[in-house]
Amino acid sequence: MHTIDGQQKQDIKSMTLEELQQDFARQGLPKFRALQVYQWLHRGVSSFEEMTDLSKTLRGELEAKYYISVATIEKKQVSLYDNTVKYLFSFPDGECVEAVLMQYHHGYSLCISTQVGCRMGCTFCATGKSGFARNLAASEMLAQIQAAQRDQGVRVSNLVLMGMGEPLDNYENVLRFLELVSSPKGMQIGMRHISLSTCGIVDKIYDLARRKWQLTLSVSLHAPNDAIREQTMPVNRRWPMRELLEACRFYTQTTHRRISFEYAMIQGVNDSDACAKELARRLEGILSHVNLIPVNAVAGAGYEKSTAQRLQAFCRILEQKGIAATVRRTLGSDIDASCGQLRRRHKEEVT
Ligand code: SAH
Ligand code: SF4
């Protein structure tokens, strides 16, 4: 429930088709009306007015009871190198989140945010540094996709939950979003085309595994041991690496899906040969792939990115030890495409 124009209104785009049907049935409306409305919502309309096959009376009734979440483009940056588009979206309460649209040979992939800010406080991350404001509703995650699609006139075929926020710290809403976005009567982006990135909320990884969805799990590891990981990722104190890697092993064994381990290389912190060897040992026997990227320098963090040669050398050690690894190409490097940076600058500009 939200108060809009002084009235309590319900978030209709976060409702599943079944919930909408039940709600409509309670109001004495026929079942097929719920499907009609659901399809309009998932095609991305921003008002009930646009639902032209409903009577004016019904549109008015819906307007009185529900609201439709939309994301408004506040800022937009287009990369000169590779057509990557970075958005700063705002919601009616004034909060902003970022999303990045990337073009690959197989289609368009959108990286979306799941929270305004983040509670996890990783020291290298711009989002972590700017604190936490609130969770996003499922409808606000859908709204980011719809706004990007409308802006570019394209269909997004792949999703990455790797923007601002920790998806597993907003678990209920993220689960609801995943069900909605993959639903046959909705946008139909299948689980195989969705990646979810987490800093390692262990109990939720077990829960996700048990659902046996064909989702790709990315785990932000960024260190080969607790001593280093604790320095940069406070979450490691709650769930140390041994517990995290056990959960990852369970995830791969239960879902038969490979896990992507993210590893941002920070000069002099986690990028030595010894780190590579230790990492290889820790990942032994887990169906995995390591993505190495140079850390993106964030103001105030005091970290330098490792050199390209260091990344290559680190990658080679992992491969020699039988761990699949790649040095990831970074898209949109000229437009701060790493999460949290655009919002942080925007906030500094307006305050
Ligand atoms: N909270 C989730 C997803 C959002 S962060 C998570 O942490 O996985 C998305 C990715 O960007 C994560 O892999 C995160 O570790 C990485 N990241 C954050 N700040 C970065 C930086 N300055 N340089 C490189 N990667 C960064
Ligand atoms: Fe949050 Fe992920 Fe940033 Fe850590 S890296 S602060 S978990 S968004």
Side-chain angles (χ1 to χ4, degrees):
M1 280 285 180
H2 260 261
T3 308
I4 310 249
D5 304 332
Q7 288 171 291
Q8 284 281 304
K9 291 192 182 183
Q10 211 175 334
D11 174 7
I12 192 169
K13 208 157 61 184
S14 286
M15 294 168 80
T16 63
L17 179 56
E18 293 67 35
E19 287 168 343
L20 205 55
Q21 285 168 338
Q22 285 163 11
D23 222 37
F24 274 32
R26 274 193 293 273
Q27 299 168 67
L29 292 166
K31 208 172 172 177
F32 77 92
R33 287 283 178 226
L35 178 59
Q36 262 178 321
V37 169
Y38 186 85
Q39 286 177 320
W40 277 117
L41 292 169
H42 290 265
R43 258 180 257 148
V45 298
S46 51
S47 71
F48 293 104
E49 271 310 294
E50 292 166 66
M51 302 184 178
T52 45
D53 54 3
L54 306 184
S55 72
K56 243 189 150 30
T57 321
L58 179 54
R59 279 185 262 164
E61 284 168 14
L62 294 175
E63 174 72 43
K65 189 168 188 309
Y66 306 103
Y67 71 93
I68 303 176
S69 273
V70 289
T72 307
I73 300 175
E74 201 65 39
K75 272 194 176 179
K76 183 173 137 183
Q77 287 179 302
V78 183
S79 167
L80 298 172
Y81 301 150
D82 52 27
N83 290 326
T84 296
V85 187
K86 176 152 184 168
Y87 295 100
L88 184 71
F89 290 126
S90 67
F91 296 111
D93 67 352
E95 294 294 355
C96 293
V97 297
E98 298 177 10
V100 181
L101 183 70
M102 293 155 284
Q103 189 177 7
Y104 288 103
H105 48 269
H106 57 262
Y108 286 89
S109 177
L110 186 72
C111 173
I112 62 163
S113 292
T114 55
Q115 296 180 313
V116 182
C118 184
R119 272 192 271 250
M120 299 297 132
C122 303
T123 57
F124 47 79
C125 172
T127 305
K129 285 195 159 299
S130 57
F132 175 78
R134 66 171 176 87
N135 282 326
L136 292 189
S139 60
E140 293 172 315
M141 299 176 215
L142 293 169
Q144 295 170 59
I145 310 171
Q146 293 167 338
Q149 290 192 147
R150 195 176 325 116
D151 178 59
Q152 293 290 302
V154 299
R155 186 184 175 281
V156 167
S157 55
N158 288 70
L159 282 180
V160 199
L161 276 60
M162 219 192 221
M164 296 169 54
E166 167 49 50
L168 301 189
D169 185 41
N170 182 16
Y171 196 52
E172 292 301 314
N173 290 337
V174 165
L175 288 182
R176 181 173 278 274
F177 164 74
L178 290 171
E179 286 187 19
L180 289 171
V181 81
S182 61
S183 82
K185 303 278 194 243
M187 277 192 244
Q188 296 184 51
I189 304 181
M191 294 287 184
R192 280 187 171 276
H193 300 276
I194 305 177
S195 301
L196 182 152
S197 180
T198 178
C199 63
I201 313 272
V202 166
D203 56 343
K204 302 298 190 301
I205 295 178
Y206 280 106
D207 186 273
L208 206 52
R210 291 194 183 97
R211 290 170 193 267
K212 298 199 173 161
W213 287 344
Q214 290 302 295
L215 192 77
T216 300
L217 188 67
S218 284
V219 173
S220 301
L221 207 53
H222 306 315
N225 57 46
D226 289 327
I228 298 177
R229 200 163 190 265
E230 267 175 19
Q231 285 173 32
T232 55
M233 302 184 71
V235 69
N236 198 77
R237 275 175 233 139
R238 173 68 182 84
W239 281 292
M241 266 181 76
R242 194 181 50 78
E243 289 181 36
L244 172 57
L245 293 177
E246 247 168 55
C248 290
R249 199 181 296 274
F250 178 80
Y251 188 91
T252 58
Q253 285 167 350
T254 312
T255 62
H256 308 291
R257 302 282 294 170
R258 184 179 296 271
I259 290 187
S260 271
F261 287 104
E262 304 301 317
Y263 199 102
M265 303 266 292
I266 312 174
Q267 196 169 76
V269 174
N270 64 359
D271 66 346
S272 67
D273 285 357
C275 285
K277 287 175 193 158
E278 191 174 3
L279 180 64
R281 213 165 43 241
R282 300 293 296 258
L283 298 185
E284 217 168 82
I286 303 178
L287 190 61
S288 70
H289 187 102
V290 178
N291 277 318
L292 300 168
I293 45 162
V295 76
N296 236 294
V298 166
Y303 295 129
E304 294 285 337
K305 57 180 69 169
S306 308
T307 61
Q309 295 90 304
R310 195 81 292 274
L311 267 91
Q312 291 300 341
F314 199 97
C315 189
R316 234 172 297 123
I317 293 173
L318 291 178
E319 283 173 341
Q320 279 162 7
K321 306 262 178 209
I323 306 293
T326 36
V327 174
R328 202 168 64 189
R329 78 187 174 115
T330 48
L331 290 174
S333 50
D334 58 330
I335 54 166
D336 294 343
S338 166
C339 79
Q341 297 182 350
L342 192 62
R343 170 172 174 266
R344 199 164 173 224
R345 246 207 340 262
H346 179 71
K347 271 182 83 177
E348 282 163 5
E349 277 165 18
V350 296
T351 51

